[in-house]
Amino acid sequence: MPLHTDDASNIGRCTPVTESRSTGMPHSAANPESAYRDQWLALLEKNGVRRPTDLAVIAVPGIVVQLTRGEPSGSLELEESPGSVLMVNLSPVQALRQERNQRSFVNNMLNWDMTLMPRGTRSKWSWNSTCDRFDVILSPDVLGDEHPMETVDRFLFRDAKLKNLCQRLCREIILRDRADRLLIEMLAIELAEVFLHDYSTAPEHTRGIPTGGLTRNNAKRVLEYAEANLGRALTLRELAGVAQLSVHHFVRMFRKTLGVTPHQYLLERRVERAKDLLRDKRAGLAEVALSSGFGSQSHFTSAFHRAVGATPSEFQRLFGKPI
């Protein structure tokens, strides 16, 4: 049961949060994830629900993901959802009551059972035992203006493709400051494509997925731009803008042309840059991490180890140039 809008009658007065016009997601100039987390905790308190033992939130363009563990039993009434909401039960069994659109549904949700709620829906929820769950909010423009994300209403279902993507998202959100945000953005696009194909209210003829690749000039522009900006955080929307394509089309066409996703390509280039920098034994790991475009030293260490099979320190000792 993720957070909805920050309507003044709801909880917007609890924290200095506004609603993003582009995504409909709550945001704060300082830290949108802290603002989102604070709003959720304030909503629980308002409804008499004690705090969960753990609450992790990550927000990237087009998506907010929330992992909640150990949330005590209770009930909530939520305002209109700012995007399509997918709630995944991670508890072994959860007795849940859902009410929305003049319908109510009571059932035992099993592990990895899901419920999907369209944008703009008001809802009521109640559960009678401690809850572990994973929530996803996809903004209407996650796939671009030509494919607005409007989904059907599903009270209870299972989906192997969505489960796989949510498991990967869960693994990233658990890493917190070591999470790969570009990967989360990539997974959000894949998740949205499943929604578009299988759960969208859009006419069938508008759900087409691009099959061609980038033109040679487009590919050249994107790769040159990525190389010139490798040392800072890049988003899929930014790269898609260089190609003058929607994110949805850009990701598919990039993979068709280069054989890897934009995330995989950037990760490979950043690791190669880091290797070059690490060969100078005078380079500090924090400096190398930032110069290579990793968000933190911990993220750099884990990503480098996965790609190379050695930590940055081990690589520097083995392959560093003598001073």
Side-chain angles (χ1 to χ4, degrees):
M1 292 76 70
L3 182 66
H4 292 150
T5 62
D6 60 321
D7 183 89
S9 64
N10 191 8
I11 61 173
R13 292 171 291 186
C14 298
T15 54
V17 180
T18 59
E19 182 179 297
S20 164
R21 291 185 180 180
S22 62
T23 66
M25 305 297 180
H27 72 90
S28 164
N31 188 328
E33 291 159 4
S34 293
Y36 187 100
R37 188 177 184 277
D38 289 345
Q39 279 198 323
W40 180 252
L41 294 175
L43 179 61
L44 293 179
E45 183 178 2
K46 178 182 177 181
N47 285 267
V49 181
R50 298 194 312 277
R51 290 191 171 203
T53 56
D54 188 42
L55 175 62
V57 176
I58 289 184
V60 297
I63 188 174
V64 175
V65 291
Q66 173 179 321
L67 178 62
T68 304
R69 289 181 283 198
E71 188 167 81
S73 60
S75 60
L76 293 173
E77 183 170 351
L78 302 177
E79 296 297 323
E80 295 179 357
S81 57
S84 300
V85 178
L86 178 71
M87 192 276 277
V88 183
N89 176 51
L90 300 181
S91 303
V93 181
Q94 182 60 247
L96 181 69
R97 180 184 183 91
Q98 309 173 54
E99 296 180 43
R100 56 182 181 263
N101 296 325
Q102 291 78 52
R103 297 173 60 203
S104 63
F105 187 82
V106 182
N107 209 323
N108 289 321
M109 293 190 75
L110 306 181
N111 187 243
W112 287 102
D113 276 352
M114 305 176 186
T115 183
L116 176 63
M117 187 167 65
R119 178 170 68 99
T121 303
R122 294 189 176 200
S123 58
K124 294 181 182 179
W125 307 75
S126 60
W127 59 106
N128 64 3
S129 61
T130 301
C131 177
D132 296 339
R133 68 174 191 283
F134 183 65
D135 298 318
V136 179
I137 304 179
L138 287 172
S139 70
D141 65 346
V142 62
L143 291 179
D145 294 336
E146 72 271 30
H147 293 295
M149 182 51 60
E150 301 292 349
T151 63
V152 297
D153 194 349
R154 295 287 298 273
F155 276 88
L156 182 67
F157 68 104
R158 299 179 72 86
D159 187 303
K161 289 179 290 186
L162 291 179
K163 177 182 177 181
N164 175 263
L165 291 168
C166 288
Q167 285 176 324
R168 294 171 67 189
L169 283 166
C170 281
R171 285 195 290 268
E172 284 302 311
I173 195 173
I174 288 171
L175 296 175
R176 298 182 187 270
D177 67 323
R178 294 182 290 120
D180 189 328
R181 292 175 175 273
L182 192 65
L183 176 57
I184 291 173
E185 200 179 352
M186 276 291 311
L187 293 173
I189 297 300
E190 294 183 34
L191 198 73
E193 287 180 349
V194 176
F195 283 174
L196 178 67
H197 186 267
D198 297 335
Y199 302 101
S200 174
T201 61
E204 186 70 31
H205 70 275
T206 66
R207 304 183 195 178
I209 295 175
T211 56
L214 297 172
T215 66
R216 189 162 294 274
N217 284 339
N218 246 357
K220 178 176 180 291
R221 280 199 302 272
V222 171
L223 297 187
E224 287 178 345
Y225 183 87
E227 199 67 26
N229 293 278
L230 208 58
R232 66 176 183 83
L234 289 168
T235 68
L236 292 179
R237 293 191 178 202
E238 184 178 353
L239 295 174
V242 174
Q244 298 182 322
L245 294 167
S246 71
V247 179
H248 174 45
H249 286 202
F250 170 71
V251 170
R252 287 276 178 170
M253 295 168 77
F254 187 100
R255 182 161 42 195
K256 178 75 173 181
T257 300
L258 286 113
V260 292
T261 67
H263 166 260
Q264 291 168 325
Y265 177 83
L266 284 172
L267 181 60
E268 289 171 5
R269 294 299 307 134
R270 284 175 170 149
V271 168
E272 289 304 313
R273 173 174 288 189
K275 285 180 180 179
D276 289 340
L277 294 172
L278 288 169
R279 289 189 176 99
D280 183 348
K281 287 190 176 181
R282 294 166 296 186
L285 296 187
E287 177 189 355
V288 172
L290 292 177
S291 298
S292 305
F294 292 95
S296 66
Q297 186 175 330
S298 57
H299 177 212
F300 166 54
T301 299
S302 60
F304 190 93
H305 185 266
R306 285 197 301 267
V308 179
T311 67
S313 296
E314 291 168 342
F315 181 90
Q316 194 170 45
R317 287 196 298 270
L318 289 170
F319 300 103
K321 298 175 182 176
I323 297 175

